């Protein structure tokens, strides 16, 4: 009985490590994707480095990007409601 419980604990531990690694990889990927999209839309450059918004000059581009982002989120919300 104890050997069975020990194996079960070991399997659960391995599963927890795998889930933790997958979650960490997903978080890392999402952060870099956010940096890429921010750099492309606001700064007009390709890169995965986090940009400082102090370097962002005020322009109509900011308003357009914000409006498009809101529109994309609204469409995603509507698609979720339909599905």
């Amino acid at each position: 009985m104890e050997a069975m419980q020990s194996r079960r604990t070991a399997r659960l531990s391995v599963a927890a490590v795998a889930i933790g690694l997958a979650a960490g990889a997903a978080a890392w990927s999402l952060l870099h994707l956010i940096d890429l999209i921010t750099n492309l839309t606001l700064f007009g450059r390709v890169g995965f480095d986090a940009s400082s918004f102090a370097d962002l000059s005020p322009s109509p581009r900011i308003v357009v990007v914000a409006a498009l982002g809101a529109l994309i989120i609204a469409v995603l919300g509507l698609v979720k409601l339909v599905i």
Side-chain angles (χ1 to χ4, degrees):
M1 183 74 160
E2 243 180 80
M4 187 179 197
Q5 193 171 14
S6 179
R7 275 186 285 175
R8 182 176 181 208
T9 302
R11 274 190 271 160
L12 284 173
S13 297
V14 168
V17 167
I19 291 170
L21 288 173
W28 183 85
S29 298
L30 286 173
L31 283 173
H32 282 78
L33 182 62
I34 290 168
D35 286 336
L36 176 66
I37 292 171
T38 300
N39 282 328
L40 283 173
T41 57
L42 292 178
F43 296 100
R45 61 180 179 236
V46 178
F48 293 101
D49 56 330
S51 299
S52 172
F53 286 98
D55 299 336
L56 187 61
S57 58
S59 70
R61 182 181 198 169
I62 298 171
V63 176
V64 171
V65 168
L68 286 175
L71 182 65
I72 290 169
I73 296 300
V75 169
L76 288 173
L78 289 175
V79 169
K80 178 68 175 173
L81 288 176
V82 171
I83 295 175

